[in-house]
Amino acid sequence: MTTVGVLALQGSFNEHMAALRRIGVKGVEIRKAEQLQAVDALIIPGGESTTMAKLAHYHNLVRPLLSFPALREFVSTGKPVWGTCAGLIFLANKAIGQKSGGQELIGGLDCIVNRNFFGSQLQSFETELSVPKLAEEEGGPKGFRGVFIRAPAILEVGPDVEILADCPVPLETKKSIMSVDNGQEEEIVSRERVIVAVRQGNLLGTAFHPELTTDLRWHSLFLKMKKDSSDRCLQRVPTSGTDLEDSLGKRPFDLPIYE
């Protein structure tokens, strides 16, 4: 059976682990670099990106556990990697709107991400997203309830990046954003919509939190992503409620999630 690692330094890793259990996939909490060798895919969850970066540095400098080089090496293997919210920031080649001094990135996803684009924790929100590509590949409705918590947004993408969802900019969000990049103020062009979900090769990025909903289609989509160097798809057990009850003995909805 496929084994999916979930980076467990900080953030919503428990919710991703629960989602994986609900579709019958083995999840492993990843805190050591050596654990990456035993997983077929990796999820980098939402959380506080600066805190997660500091923890990764701490593990690298004080205890030889998980480090950015180890994560970059995993991305370079071509195995599927999914970043949600803070995880999306880490996967981006460039992030703006960071705190003084910036933070280290894993990179690989050809896009520019604005950290905390939608504002502070108080500006967190839910909205219906149009997801025709997700519906085409995974079935279900063409809409998805996106949960945005102190969320980033994707401002620009490269030619090889597939846009899976975008989102209108709320009225309370400043349309013209000032950020500091390499010591210089940079003004981002005013816009009405921003990108919130993308896919590029073995990488998937979402600015919102699918793990906080009952809709498992993003997890299913991720599990079907192919390793670049192989035609092999990740294997998983059937996802219907009946099959889950038969294989696991009960429906494992063990964490509070949004309907």
Side-chain angles (χ1 to χ4, degrees), residues 21-24 238-250:
R21 287 195 296 271
R22 287 159 60 201
I23 55 178
T239 59
S240 70
T242 301
D243 289 330
L244 276 175
E245 290 172 358
D246 291 341
S247 62
L248 300 178
K250 62 179 180 178

Side-chain angles (χ1 to χ4, degrees), residues 5 20 39-40 42 50 65 67 95 128 148 155 178 194 232:
L20 293 172
V39 300
D40 303 297
L42 178 67
T50 302
L65 301 180
S67 64
E128 192 74 11
F148 292 80
L155 304 180
M178 300 299 296
V194 287
R232 176 179 64 88

Side-chain angles (χ1 to χ4, degrees), residues 109 154 157 161-164 195-200 203-205:
L109 192 57
I154 301 168
V157 297
V161 177
E162 180 184 14
I163 298 173
L164 300 178
I195 303 164
V196 293
V198 294
R199 177 171 56 183
Q200 180 187 2
L203 304 180
L204 177 67

Side-chain angles (χ1 to χ4, degrees), residues 13-59:
F13 59 89
N14 279 325
E15 288 78 4
H16 275 293
M17 291 287 290
L20 293 172
R21 287 195 296 271
R22 287 159 60 201
I23 55 178
V25 172
K26 180 181 179 181
V28 176
E29 294 182 8
I30 301 295
R31 296 185 180 88
K32 299 180 180 181
E34 62 193 41
Q35 292 176 297
L36 292 172
Q37 300 174 12
V39 300
D40 303 297
L42 178 67
I43 297 175
I44 305 175
E48 214 297 315
S49 59
T50 302
T51 300
M52 292 170 72
K54 288 180 178 178
L55 284 170
H57 280 297
Y58 171 81
H59 282 216

Side-chain angles (χ1 to χ4, degrees), residues 15-184:
E15 288 78 4
H16 275 293
M17 291 287 290
L20 293 172
R21 287 195 296 271
R22 287 159 60 201
I23 55 178
V25 172
K26 180 181 179 181
V28 176
E29 294 182 8
I30 301 295
R31 296 185 180 88
K32 299 180 180 181
E34 62 193 41
Q35 292 176 297
L36 292 172
Q37 300 174 12
V39 300
D40 303 297
L42 178 67
I43 297 175
I44 305 175
E48 214 297 315
S49 59
T50 302
T51 300
M52 292 170 72
K54 288 180 178 178
L55 284 170
H57 280 297
Y58 171 81
H59 282 216
N60 187 36
L61 295 174
V62 181
R63 294 179 291 170
L65 301 180
L66 194 62
S67 64
F68 278 91
L71 293 169
R72 292 191 192 102
E73 183 178 354
F74 187 90
V75 169
S76 70
T77 65
K79 292 181 179 180
V81 181
W82 176 17
T84 62
C85 197
L88 165 65
I89 298 172
F90 283 131
L91 287 180
N93 283 344
K94 181 179 180 181
I96 62 175
Q98 301 186 67
K99 296 179 180 179
S100 178
Q103 65 188 48
E104 191 169 356
L105 303 175
I106 298 168
L109 192 57
D110 187 12
C111 67
I112 300 175
V113 171
N114 193 159
R115 182 181 181 274
N116 292 346
F117 175 87
F118 294 102
S120 68
Q121 193 84 7
L122 294 176
Q123 279 73 55
S124 299
F125 64 97
E126 296 181 39
T127 189
E128 192 74 11
L129 301 173
S130 176
V131 289
K133 188 66 176 179
L134 181 67
E136 177 186 334
E137 297 189 24
E138 297 299 322
K142 294 183 179 180
F144 181 88
R145 192 69 177 174
V147 180
F148 292 80
I149 302 176
R150 200 180 176 188
I154 301 168
L155 304 180
E156 305 290 344
V157 297
D160 296 327
V161 177
E162 180 184 14
I163 298 173
L164 300 178
D166 64 7
C167 171
V169 176
L171 293 177
E172 60 269 24
T173 302
K174 293 181 179 179
K175 302 292 186 63
S176 184
I177 300 119
M178 300 299 296
S179 66
V180 177
D181 186 36
N182 296 325
Q184 299 294 321

